[in-house]
Amino acid sequence: MAHRPPILLIDSPSLYFRAYFGIPESAARAEDGTPVNAVRGFLDMLATLIRTRRPDRMVCAMDHDWRPDWRVALLPSYKAHRLAPEGGEVVPDTLTPQVPVILDVLAALGITTVGAAGYEADDVLGTLSVTQAAPVEVVSGDRDLFQLVDDSRPVRLLYVGRGVAKLEDCDDEAVRARYGVPAARYADFAALRGDPSDGLPGVPGVGEKTAARLIERHGDLDGILTALDDPRSGFAPGLRTKLEAARDYLAVAPKVVRVALDVPLPELPTALPSAPADPDTLLELARRWNLAGSTRRLVDALADRA
């Protein structure tokens, strides 16, 4: 039986933020001087992924709500440090206008984009990872998405923390090697350890190694909390005190960290085109935004894959 090509699920915000900070504005501008470094870098990342992974389907997930109310209600510190004084996320002024350009180019190419009100891109990716036909490859630099890895389907994370050219193709063994816990327990591990980039305080005094040992011994966070109620469970007094003090936090943090797998999404066309859906519009966008090289590389990658 022939091996089916994967579907690539793209964490678009993760990639275009990396592109924005990885390419100087001075190196990528439209004729009127508008920076397009995030656009150019994002398109080049897609071209590289298509050329190297050879998918037959692709969906680019978007953040329609970067800090959902339901997560903030559970944990008010969630991403609070990234909240702008006037509301919304702190985003560089020259990045914000580039996102609509990315969406316009993807639409002209015929590559599907999707977001959902009240959910982050991570949640969209999580839902697609369990609803789309396998094999599934999720592309992101967000560590939280290690929890989506599932060898049984399979679902892999192509982790781009060091860039697309140095992506790490992660299965469950890779997650265990990296953190000492299985992918299915990553959310519990992250809740214990904390993550300053998301405003997750973690349990003070509990780092990665201690969190991994606790999960290895007790199975999951519920098992840890159950063991806390047993005086014979063998916790060191200092560690028991730390975990007891964090009970309220540990009751909600995993719900915040866990990616939603049940986001209501419409039926999506996922097939990757072999040629642009709207070549005239794509040509005009490439001319207007000085993206001829990037769009050509992406169009060539689509054609070569077909």
Side-chain angles (χ1 to χ4, degrees), residues 261-286:
L261 303 179
D262 56 355
V263 177
L265 297 174
E267 288 292 322
L268 297 171
T270 62
L272 201 55
S274 58
D278 188 342
D280 291 340
T281 297
L282 183 64
L283 190 63
E284 173 56 25
L285 288 167

mmCIF file with all atom_site columns, all heavy atoms in Angstrom, residues 261-286:
data_model
loop_
_atom_site.group_PDB
_atom_site.id
_atom_site.type_symbol
_atom_site.label_atom_id
_atom_site.label_alt_id
_atom_site.label_comp_id
_atom_site.label_asym_id
_atom_site.label_entity_id
_atom_site.label_seq_id
_atom_site.pdbx_PDB_ins_code
_atom_site.Cartn_x
_atom_site.Cartn_y
_atom_site.Cartn_z
_atom_site.occupancy
_atom_site.B_iso_or_equiv
_atom_site.pdbx_formal_charge
_atom_site.auth_seq_id
_atom_site.auth_comp_id
_atom_site.auth_asym_id
_atom_site.auth_atom_id
_atom_site.pdbx_PDB_model_num
ATOM 1   N N   . LEU A 1 261 ? -9.335  20.536 21.019  1.00 0.00 ? 261 LEU A N   1
ATOM 2   C CA  . LEU A 1 261 ? -9.430  19.571 19.918  1.00 0.00 ? 261 LEU A CA  1
ATOM 3   C C   . LEU A 1 261 ? -10.826 19.534 19.310  1.00 0.00 ? 261 LEU A C   1
ATOM 4   O O   . LEU A 1 261 ? -11.115 18.666 18.485  1.00 0.00 ? 261 LEU A O   1
ATOM 5   C CB  . LEU A 1 261 ? -9.061  18.168 20.429  1.00 0.00 ? 261 LEU A CB  1
ATOM 6   C CG  . LEU A 1 261 ? -7.693  18.013 21.082  1.00 0.00 ? 261 LEU A CG  1
ATOM 7   C CD1 . LEU A 1 261 ? -7.492  16.576 21.562  1.00 0.00 ? 261 LEU A CD1 1
ATOM 8   C CD2 . LEU A 1 261 ? -6.575  18.412 20.126  1.00 0.00 ? 261 LEU A CD2 1
ATOM 9   N N   . ASP A 1 262 ? -11.661 20.500 19.714  1.00 0.00 ? 262 ASP A N   1
ATOM 10  C CA  . ASP A 1 262 ? -13.058 20.467 19.276  1.00 0.00 ? 262 ASP A CA  1
ATOM 11  C C   . ASP A 1 262 ? -13.546 21.834 18.799  1.00 0.00 ? 262 ASP A C   1
ATOM 12  O O   . ASP A 1 262 ? -14.702 22.195 18.990  1.00 0.00 ? 262 ASP A O   1
ATOM 13  C CB  . ASP A 1 262 ? -13.939 19.975 20.432  1.00 0.00 ? 262 ASP A CB  1
ATOM 14  C CG  . ASP A 1 262 ? -13.785 20.823 21.695  1.00 0.00 ? 262 ASP A CG  1
ATOM 15  O OD1 . ASP A 1 262 ? -12.933 21.738 21.709  1.00 0.00 ? 262 ASP A OD1 1
ATOM 16  O OD2 . ASP A 1 262 ? -14.518 20.580 22.671  1.00 0.00 ? 262 ASP A OD2 1
ATOM 17  N N   . VAL A 1 263 ? -12.646 22.592 18.167  1.00 0.00 ? 263 VAL A N   1
ATOM 18  C CA  . VAL A 1 263 ? -13.033 23.901 17.637  1.00 0.00 ? 263 VAL A CA  1
ATOM 19  C C   . VAL A 1 263 ? -14.023 23.712 16.488  1.00 0.00 ? 263 VAL A C   1
ATOM 20  O O   . VAL A 1 263 ? -13.786 22.879 15.599  1.00 0.00 ? 263 VAL A O   1
ATOM 21  C CB  . VAL A 1 263 ? -11.788 24.669 17.134  1.00 0.00 ? 263 VAL A CB  1
ATOM 22  C CG1 . VAL A 1 263 ? -12.192 26.000 16.505  1.00 0.00 ? 263 VAL A CG1 1
ATOM 23  C CG2 . VAL A 1 263 ? -10.804 24.898 18.272  1.00 0.00 ? 263 VAL A CG2 1
ATOM 24  N N   . PRO A 1 264 ? -15.146 24.436 16.492  1.00 0.00 ? 264 PRO A N   1
ATOM 25  C CA  . PRO A 1 264 ? -16.082 24.311 15.374  1.00 0.00 ? 264 PRO A CA  1
ATOM 26  C C   . PRO A 1 264 ? -15.506 24.950 14.111  1.00 0.00 ? 264 PRO A C   1
ATOM 27  O O   . PRO A 1 264 ? -15.353 26.170 14.030  1.00 0.00 ? 264 PRO A O   1
ATOM 28  C CB  . PRO A 1 264 ? -17.329 25.072 15.865  1.00 0.00 ? 264 PRO A CB  1
ATOM 29  C CG  . PRO A 1 264 ? -16.825 26.013 16.914  1.00 0.00 ? 264 PRO A CG  1
ATOM 30  C CD  . PRO A 1 264 ? -15.639 25.359 17.545  1.00 0.00 ? 264 PRO A CD  1
ATOM 31  N N   . LEU A 1 265 ? -15.166 24.123 13.153  1.00 0.00 ? 265 LEU A N   1
ATOM 32  C CA  . LEU A 1 265 ? -14.575 24.596 11.905  1.00 0.00 ? 265 LEU A CA  1
ATOM 33  C C   . LEU A 1 265 ? -15.452 24.183 10.728  1.00 0.00 ? 265 LEU A C   1
ATOM 34  O O   . LEU A 1 265 ? -16.082 23.124 10.765  1.00 0.00 ? 265 LEU A O   1
ATOM 35  C CB  . LEU A 1 265 ? -13.170 24.008 11.712  1.00 0.00 ? 265 LEU A CB  1
ATOM 36  C CG  . LEU A 1 265 ? -12.106 24.389 12.744  1.00 0.00 ? 265 LEU A CG  1
ATOM 37  C CD1 . LEU A 1 265 ? -10.828 23.604 12.494  1.00 0.00 ? 265 LEU A CD1 1
ATOM 38  C CD2 . LEU A 1 265 ? -11.831 25.889 12.710  1.00 0.00 ? 265 LEU A CD2 1
ATOM 39  N N   . PRO A 1 266 ? -15.485 24.995 9.691   1.00 0.00 ? 266 PRO A N   1
ATOM 40  C CA  . PRO A 1 266 ? -16.245 24.611 8.497   1.00 0.00 ? 266 PRO A CA  1
ATOM 41  C C   . PRO A 1 266 ? -15.521 23.516 7.721   1.00 0.00 ? 266 PRO A C   1
ATOM 42  O O   . PRO A 1 266 ? -14.353 23.206 7.990   1.00 0.00 ? 266 PRO A O   1
ATOM 43  C CB  . PRO A 1 266 ? -16.282 25.911 7.689   1.00 0.00 ? 266 PRO A CB  1
ATOM 44  C CG  . PRO A 1 266 ? -15.017 26.622 8.071   1.00 0.00 ? 266 PRO A CG  1
ATOM 45  C CD  . PRO A 1 266 ? -14.802 26.300 9.531   1.00 0.00 ? 266 PRO A CD  1
ATOM 46  N N   . GLU A 1 267 ? -16.205 22.933 6.781   1.00 0.00 ? 267 GLU A N   1
ATOM 47  C CA  . GLU A 1 267 ? -15.543 22.016 5.858   1.00 0.00 ? 267 GLU A CA  1
ATOM 48  C C   . GLU A 1 267 ? -14.506 22.808 5.066   1.00 0.00 ? 267 GLU A C   1
ATOM 49  O O   . GLU A 1 267 ? -14.800 23.883 4.547   1.00 0.00 ? 267 GLU A O   1
ATOM 50  C CB  . GLU A 1 267 ? -16.550 21.380 4.907   1.00 0.00 ? 267 GLU A CB  1
ATOM 51  C CG  . GLU A 1 267 ? -17.452 20.354 5.566   1.00 0.00 ? 267 GLU A CG  1
ATOM 52  C CD  . GLU A 1 267 ? -16.694 19.110 5.988   1.00 0.00 ? 267 GLU A CD  1
ATOM 53  O OE1 . GLU A 1 267 ? -15.784 18.693 5.242   1.00 0.00 ? 267 GLU A OE1 1
ATOM 54  O OE2 . GLU A 1 267 ? -17.003 18.559 7.057   1.00 0.00 ? 267 GLU A OE2 1
ATOM 55  N N   . LEU A 1 268 ? -13.309 22.280 4.986   1.00 0.00 ? 268 LEU A N   1
ATOM 56  C CA  . LEU A 1 268 ? -12.222 23.036 4.372   1.00 0.00 ? 268 LEU A CA  1
ATOM 57  C C   . LEU A 1 268 ? -11.673 22.322 3.154   1.00 0.00 ? 268 LEU A C   1
ATOM 58  O O   . LEU A 1 268 ? -11.450 21.105 3.187   1.00 0.00 ? 268 LEU A O   1
ATOM 59  C CB  . LEU A 1 268 ? -11.080 23.216 5.385   1.00 0.00 ? 268 LEU A CB  1
ATOM 60  C CG  . LEU A 1 268 ? -11.387 24.018 6.649   1.00 0.00 ? 268 LEU A CG  1
ATOM 61  C CD1 . LEU A 1 268 ? -10.225 23.904 7.628   1.00 0.00 ? 268 LEU A CD1 1
ATOM 62  C CD2 . LEU A 1 268 ? -11.655 25.475 6.310   1.00 0.00 ? 268 LEU A CD2 1
ATOM 63  N N   . PRO A 1 269 ? -11.413 23.070 2.075   1.00 0.00 ? 269 PRO A N   1
ATOM 64  C CA  . PRO A 1 269 ? -10.661 22.486 0.967   1.00 0.00 ? 269 PRO A CA  1
ATOM 65  C C   . PRO A 1 269 ? -9.184  22.440 1.361   1.00 0.00 ? 269 PRO A C   1
ATOM 66  O O   . PRO A 1 269 ? -8.573  23.470 1.639   1.00 0.00 ? 269 PRO A O   1
ATOM 67  C CB  . PRO A 1 269 ? -10.902 23.473 -0.188  1.00 0.00 ? 269 PRO A CB  1
ATOM 68  C CG  . PRO A 1 269 ? -11.190 24.791 0.485   1.00 0.00 ? 269 PRO A CG  1
ATOM 69  C CD  . PRO A 1 269 ? -11.822 24.472 1.813   1.00 0.00 ? 269 PRO A CD  1
ATOM 70  N N   . THR A 1 270 ? -8.614  21.275 1.439   1.00 0.00 ? 270 THR A N   1
ATOM 71  C CA  . THR A 1 270 ? -7.243  21.150 1.920   1.00 0.00 ? 270 THR A CA  1
ATOM 72  C C   . THR A 1 270 ? -6.239  20.781 0.834   1.00 0.00 ? 270 THR A C   1
ATOM 73  O O   . THR A 1 270 ? -5.032  20.852 1.067   1.00 0.00 ? 270 THR A O   1
ATOM 74  C CB  . THR A 1 270 ? -7.162  20.082 3.029   1.00 0.00 ? 270 THR A CB  1
ATOM 75  O OG1 . THR A 1 270 ? -7.545  18.813 2.488   1.00 0.00 ? 270 THR A OG1 1
ATOM 76  C CG2 . THR A 1 270 ? -8.073  20.445 4.197   1.00 0.00 ? 270 THR A CG2 1
ATOM 77  N N   . ALA A 1 271 ? -6.720  20.396 -0.348  1.00 0.00 ? 271 ALA A N   1
ATOM 78  C CA  . ALA A 1 271 ? -5.809  19.956 -1.408  1.00 0.00 ? 271 ALA A CA  1
ATOM 79  C C   . ALA A 1 271 ? -4.865  21.093 -1.799  1.00 0.00 ? 271 ALA A C   1
ATOM 80  O O   . ALA A 1 271 ? -5.277  22.240 -1.991  1.00 0.00 ? 271 ALA A O   1
ATOM 81  C CB  . ALA A 1 271 ? -6.592  19.491 -2.624  1.00 0.00 ? 271 ALA A CB  1
ATOM 82  N N   . LEU A 1 272 ? -3.596  20.757 -1.905  1.00 0.00 ? 272 LEU A N   1
ATOM 83  C CA  . LEU A 1 272 ? -2.598  21.748 -2.276  1.00 0.00 ? 272 LEU A CA  1
ATOM 84  C C   . LEU A 1 272 ? -2.596  21.904 -3.791  1.00 0.00 ? 272 LEU A C   1
ATOM 85  O O   . LEU A 1 272 ? -2.449  20.923 -4.520  1.00 0.00 ? 272 LEU A O   1
ATOM 86  C CB  . LEU A 1 272 ? -1.226  21.283 -1.784  1.00 0.00 ? 272 LEU A CB  1
ATOM 87  C CG  . LEU A 1 272 ? -0.128  22.317 -1.610  1.00 0.00 ? 272 LEU A CG  1
ATOM 88  C CD1 . LEU A 1 272 ? -0.569  23.453 -0.681  1.00 0.00 ? 272 LEU A CD1 1
ATOM 89  C CD2 . LEU A 1 272 ? 1.120   21.653 -1.071  1.00 0.00 ? 272 LEU A CD2 1
ATOM 90  N N   . PRO A 1 273 ? -2.772  23.125 -4.303  1.00 0.00 ? 273 PRO A N   1
ATOM 91  C CA  . PRO A 1 273 ? -2.839  23.314 -5.755  1.00 0.00 ? 273 PRO A CA  1
ATOM 92  C C   . PRO A 1 273 ? -1.478  23.103 -6.406  1.00 0.00 ? 273 PRO A C   1
ATOM 93  O O   . PRO A 1 273 ? -0.438  23.258 -5.766  1.00 0.00 ? 273 PRO A O   1
ATOM 94  C CB  . PRO A 1 273 ? -3.291  24.771 -5.894  1.00 0.00 ? 273 PRO A CB  1
ATOM 95  C CG  . PRO A 1 273 ? -2.782  25.439 -4.656  1.00 0.00 ? 273 PRO A CG  1
ATOM 96  C CD  . PRO A 1 273 ? -2.884  24.409 -3.558  1.00 0.00 ? 273 PRO A CD  1
ATOM 97  N N   . SER A 1 274 ? -1.499  22.754 -7.669  1.00 0.00 ? 274 SER A N   1
ATOM 98  C CA  . SER A 1 274 ? -0.248  22.633 -8.421  1.00 0.00 ? 274 SER A CA  1
ATOM 99  C C   . SER A 1 274 ? 0.075   23.910 -9.178  1.00 0.00 ? 274 SER A C   1
ATOM 100 O O   . SER A 1 274 ? 1.176   24.070 -9.702  1.00 0.00 ? 274 SER A O   1
ATOM 101 C CB  . SER A 1 274 ? -0.331  21.457 -9.397  1.00 0.00 ? 274 SER A CB  1
ATOM 102 O OG  . SER A 1 274 ? -1.427  21.635 -10.284 1.00 0.00 ? 274 SER A OG  1
ATOM 103 N N   . ALA A 1 275 ? -0.904  24.829 -9.218  1.00 0.00 ? 275 ALA A N   1
ATOM 104 C CA  . ALA A 1 275 ? -0.720  26.129 -9.880  1.00 0.00 ? 275 ALA A CA  1
ATOM 105 C C   . ALA A 1 275 ? -1.584  27.153 -9.151  1.00 0.00 ? 275 ALA A C   1
ATOM 106 O O   . ALA A 1 275 ? -2.565  26.780 -8.488  1.00 0.00 ? 275 ALA A O   1
ATOM 107 C CB  . ALA A 1 275 ? -1.113  26.039 -11.352 1.00 0.00 ? 275 ALA A CB  1
ATOM 108 N N   . PRO A 1 276 ? -1.263  28.427 -9.233  1.00 0.00 ? 276 PRO A N   1
ATOM 109 C CA  . PRO A 1 276 ? -2.042  29.451 -8.528  1.00 0.00 ? 276 PRO A CA  1
ATOM 110 C C   . PRO A 1 276 ? -3.510  29.432 -8.924  1.00 0.00 ? 276 PRO A C   1
ATOM 111 O O   . PRO A 1 276 ? -3.850  29.264 -10.102 1.00 0.00 ? 276 PRO A O   1
ATOM 112 C CB  . PRO A 1 276 ? -1.366  30.762 -8.943  1.00 0.00 ? 276 PRO A CB  1
ATOM 113 C CG  . PRO A 1 276 ? 0.009   30.375 -9.364  1.00 0.00 ? 276 PRO A CG  1
ATOM 114 C CD  . PRO A 1 276 ? -0.108  29.011 -9.959  1.00 0.00 ? 276 PRO A CD  1
ATOM 115 N N   . ALA A 1 277 ? -4.377  29.635 -7.952  1.00 0.00 ? 277 ALA A N   1
ATOM 116 C CA  . ALA A 1 277 ? -5.808  29.688 -8.222  1.00 0.00 ? 277 ALA A CA  1
ATOM 117 C C   . ALA A 1 277 ? -6.178  30.944 -8.989  1.00 0.00 ? 277 ALA A C   1
ATOM 118 O O   . ALA A 1 277 ? -7.107  30.939 -9.800  1.00 0.00 ? 277 ALA A O   1
ATOM 119 C CB  . ALA A 1 277 ? -6.583  29.642 -6.894  1.00 0.00 ? 277 ALA A CB  1
ATOM 120 N N   . ASP A 1 278 ? -5.473  32.042 -8.736  1.00 0.00 ? 278 ASP A N   1
ATOM 121 C CA  . ASP A 1 278 ? -5.753  33.328 -9.382  1.00 0.00 ? 278 ASP A CA  1
ATOM 122 C C   . ASP A 1 278 ? -4.421  33.946 -9.798  1.00 0.00 ? 278 ASP A C   1
ATOM 123 O O   . ASP A 1 278 ? -3.889  34.834 -9.112  1.00 0.00 ? 278 ASP A O   1
ATOM 124 C CB  . ASP A 1 278 ? -6.503  34.243 -8.409  1.00 0.00 ? 278 ASP A CB  1
ATOM 125 C CG  . ASP A 1 278 ? -7.007  35.513 -9.056  1.00 0.00 ? 278 ASP A CG  1
ATOM 126 O OD1 . ASP A 1 278 ? -6.508  35.863 -10.152 1.00 0.00 ? 278 ASP A OD1 1
ATOM 127 O OD2 . ASP A 1 278 ? -7.870  36.190 -8.469  1.00 0.00 ? 278 ASP A OD2 1
ATOM 128 N N   . PRO A 1 279 ? -3.859  33.493 -10.922 1.00 0.00 ? 279 PRO A N   1
ATOM 129 C CA  . PRO A 1 279 ? -2.514  33.943 -11.321 1.00 0.00 ? 279 PRO A CA  1
ATOM 130 C C   . PRO A 1 279 ? -2.422  35.442 -11.568 1.00 0.00 ? 279 PRO A C   1
ATOM 131 O O   . PRO A 1 279 ? -1.387  36.050 -11.283 1.00 0.00 ? 279 PRO A O   1
ATOM 132 C CB  . PRO A 1 279 ? -2.221  33.133 -12.591 1.00 0.00 ? 279 PRO A CB  1
ATOM 133 C CG  . PRO A 1 279 ? -3.537  32.611 -13.046 1.00 0.00 ? 279 PRO A CG  1
ATOM 134 C CD  . PRO A 1 279 ? -4.399  32.483 -11.856 1.00 0.00 ? 279 PRO A CD  1
ATOM 135 N N   . ASP A 1 280 ? -3.482  36.052 -12.088 1.00 0.00 ? 280 ASP A N   1
ATOM 136 C CA  . ASP A 1 280 ? -3.430  37.493 -12.353 1.00 0.00 ? 280 ASP A CA  1
ATOM 137 C C   . ASP A 1 280 ? -3.316  38.293 -11.051 1.00 0.00 ? 280 ASP A C   1
ATOM 138 O O   . ASP A 1 280 ? -2.529  39.241 -10.957 1.00 0.00 ? 280 ASP A O   1
ATOM 139 C CB  . ASP A 1 280 ? -4.673  37.938 -13.133 1.00 0.00 ? 280 ASP A CB  1
ATOM 140 C CG  . ASP A 1 280 ? -4.694  37.396 -14.556 1.00 0.00 ? 280 ASP A CG  1
ATOM 141 O OD1 . ASP A 1 280 ? -3.616  37.006 -15.052 1.00 0.00 ? 280 ASP A OD1 1
ATOM 142 O OD2 . ASP A 1 280 ? -5.780  37.348 -15.151 1.00 0.00 ? 280 ASP A OD2 1
ATOM 143 N N   . THR A 1 281 ? -4.117  37.906 -10.055 1.00 0.00 ? 281 THR A N   1
ATOM 144 C CA  . THR A 1 281 ? -4.036  38.588 -8.767  1.00 0.00 ? 281 THR A CA  1
ATOM 145 C C   . THR A 1 281 ? -2.686  38.348 -8.120  1.00 0.00 ? 281 THR A C   1
ATOM 146 O O   . THR A 1 281 ? -2.088  39.267 -7.533  1.00 0.00 ? 281 THR A O   1
ATOM 147 C CB  . THR A 1 281 ? -5.161  38.114 -7.840  1.00 0.00 ? 281 THR A CB  1
ATOM 148 O OG1 . THR A 1 281 ? -6.422  38.464 -8.407  1.00 0.00 ? 281 THR A OG1 1
ATOM 149 C CG2 . THR A 1 281 ? -5.038  38.745 -6.455  1.00 0.00 ? 281 THR A CG2 1
ATOM 150 N N   . LEU A 1 282 ? -2.182  37.130 -8.211  1.00 0.00 ? 282 LEU A N   1
ATOM 151 C CA  . LEU A 1 282 ? -0.877  36.825 -7.633  1.00 0.00 ? 282 LEU A CA  1
ATOM 152 C C   . LEU A 1 282 ? 0.211   37.670 -8.283  1.00 0.00 ? 282 LEU A C   1
ATOM 153 O O   . LEU A 1 282 ? 1.091   38.210 -7.594  1.00 0.00 ? 282 LEU A O   1
ATOM 154 C CB  . LEU A 1 282 ? -0.564  35.337 -7.808  1.00 0.00 ? 282 LEU A CB  1
ATOM 155 C CG  . LEU A 1 282 ? 0.751   34.877 -7.172  1.00 0.00 ? 282 LEU A CG  1
ATOM 156 C CD1 . LEU A 1 282 ? 0.711   35.038 -5.649  1.00 0.00 ? 282 LEU A CD1 1
ATOM 157 C CD2 . LEU A 1 282 ? 1.038   33.421 -7.542  1.00 0.00 ? 282 LEU A CD2 1
ATOM 158 N N   . LEU A 1 283 ? 0.139   37.817 -9.594  1.00 0.00 ? 283 LEU A N   1
ATOM 159 C CA  . LEU A 1 283 ? 1.129   38.622 -10.312 1.00 0.00 ? 283 LEU A CA  1
ATOM 160 C C   . LEU A 1 283 ? 1.072   40.078 -9.862  1.00 0.00 ? 283 LEU A C   1
ATOM 161 O O   . LEU A 1 283 ? 2.108   40.727 -9.647  1.00 0.00 ? 283 LEU A O   1
ATOM 162 C CB  . LEU A 1 283 ? 0.882   38.519 -11.822 1.00 0.00 ? 283 LEU A CB  1
ATOM 163 C CG  . LEU A 1 283 ? 1.962   39.107 -12.734 1.00 0.00 ? 283 LEU A CG  1
ATOM 164 C CD1 . LEU A 1 283 ? 3.276   38.366 -12.545 1.00 0.00 ? 283 LEU A CD1 1
ATOM 165 C CD2 . LEU A 1 283 ? 1.502   39.039 -14.197 1.00 0.00 ? 283 LEU A CD2 1
ATOM 166 N N   . GLU A 1 284 ? -0.137  40.601 -9.678  1.00 0.00 ? 284 GLU A N   1
ATOM 167 C CA  . GLU A 1 284 ? -0.292  41.972 -9.232  1.00 0.00 ? 284 GLU A CA  1
ATOM 168 C C   . GLU A 1 284 ? 0.219   42.151 -7.797  1.00 0.00 ? 284 GLU A C   1
ATOM 169 O O   . GLU A 1 284 ? 0.875   43.159 -7.486  1.00 0.00 ? 284 GLU A O   1
ATOM 170 C CB  . GLU A 1 284 ? -1.766  42.383 -9.320  1.00 0.00 ? 284 GLU A CB  1
ATOM 171 C CG  . GLU A 1 284 ? -2.094  43.745 -8.720  1.00 0.00 ? 284 GLU A CG  1
ATOM 172 C CD  . GLU A 1 284 ? -1.283  44.881 -9.303  1.00 0.00 ? 284 GLU A CD  1
ATOM 173 O OE1 . GLU A 1 284 ? -0.807  44.784 -10.452 1.00 0.00 ? 284 GLU A OE1 1
ATOM 174 O OE2 . GLU A 1 284 ? -1.113  45.903 -8.594  1.00 0.00 ? 284 GLU A OE2 1
ATOM 175 N N   . LEU A 1 285 ? -0.068  41.193 -6.932  1.00 0.00 ? 285 LEU A N   1
ATOM 176 C CA  . LEU A 1 285 ? 0.439   41.267 -5.557  1.00 0.00 ? 285 LEU A CA  1
ATOM 177 C C   . LEU A 1 285 ? 1.965   41.211 -5.538  1.00 0.00 ? 285 LEU A C   1
ATOM 178 O O   . LEU A 1 285 ? 2.616   41.951 -4.789  1.00 0.00 ? 285 LEU A O   1
ATOM 179 C CB  . LEU A 1 285 ? -0.131  40.115 -4.733  1.00 0.00 ? 285 LEU A CB  1
ATOM 180 C CG  . LEU A 1 285 ? -1.612  40.200 -4.369  1.00 0.00 ? 285 LEU A CG  1
ATOM 181 C CD1 . LEU A 1 285 ? -2.110  38.862 -3.833  1.00 0.00 ? 285 LEU A CD1 1
ATOM 182 C CD2 . LEU A 1 285 ? -1.860  41.301 -3.339  1.00 0.00 ? 285 LEU A CD2 1
ATOM 183 N N   . ALA A 1 286 ? 2.530   40.336 -6.356  1.00 0.00 ? 286 ALA A N   1
ATOM 184 C CA  . ALA A 1 286 ? 3.988   40.222 -6.415  1.00 0.00 ? 286 ALA A CA  1
ATOM 185 C C   . ALA A 1 286 ? 4.612   41.532 -6.900  1.00 0.00 ? 286 ALA A C   1
ATOM 186 O O   . ALA A 1 286 ? 5.650   41.968 -6.385  1.00 0.00 ? 286 ALA A O   1
ATOM 187 C CB  . ALA A 1 286 ? 4.381   39.067 -7.325  1.00 0.00 ? 286 ALA A CB  1
#
